[in-house]
């Protein structure tokens, strides 16, 4: 055994990445997406029915 102390090499190039300051965007669940889709479908169906009523000839 030697009396000399071993030296440890240290990399000074090591960079710590700081986390982003913005919080992550929450992922929407499938239930929420389905609810939005149903709402859109209902609005489109209502527009379609209103168009049909406007085009209907009431003077038969």
């Amino acid at each position: 055994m030697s009396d000399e102390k071993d030296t440890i090499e240290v990399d000074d190039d090591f960079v710590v990445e700081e986390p982003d300051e913005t919080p992550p965007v929450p992922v929407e669940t499938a239930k929420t997406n389905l609810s939005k889709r149903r709402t859109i479908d209902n609005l489109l169906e209502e527009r379609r029915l209103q168009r049909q009523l406007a085009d209907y000839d009431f003077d038969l």
Side-chain angles (χ1 to χ4, degrees), residues 22-34:
T22 58
V25 177
V27 178
E28 293 185 23
T29 61
K31 189 174 185 180
T32 304
N33 289 337
L34 183 59

Side-chain angles (χ1 to χ4, degrees), residues 14-55:
F14 183 74
V15 177
V16 176
E17 292 185 20
E18 296 181 15
D20 291 338
E21 302 236 348
T22 58
V25 177
V27 178
E28 293 185 23
T29 61
K31 189 174 185 180
T32 304
N33 289 337
L34 183 59
S35 175
K36 287 181 181 179
R37 182 64 206 172
R38 286 183 178 160
T39 302
I40 292 170
D41 286 344
N42 289 339
L43 289 172
L44 291 174
E45 179 70 12
E46 184 179 345
R47 283 184 185 177
R48 185 183 64 79
L49 291 173
Q50 286 176 351
R51 214 175 304 127
Q52 285 180 349
L53 275 175
D55 292 342

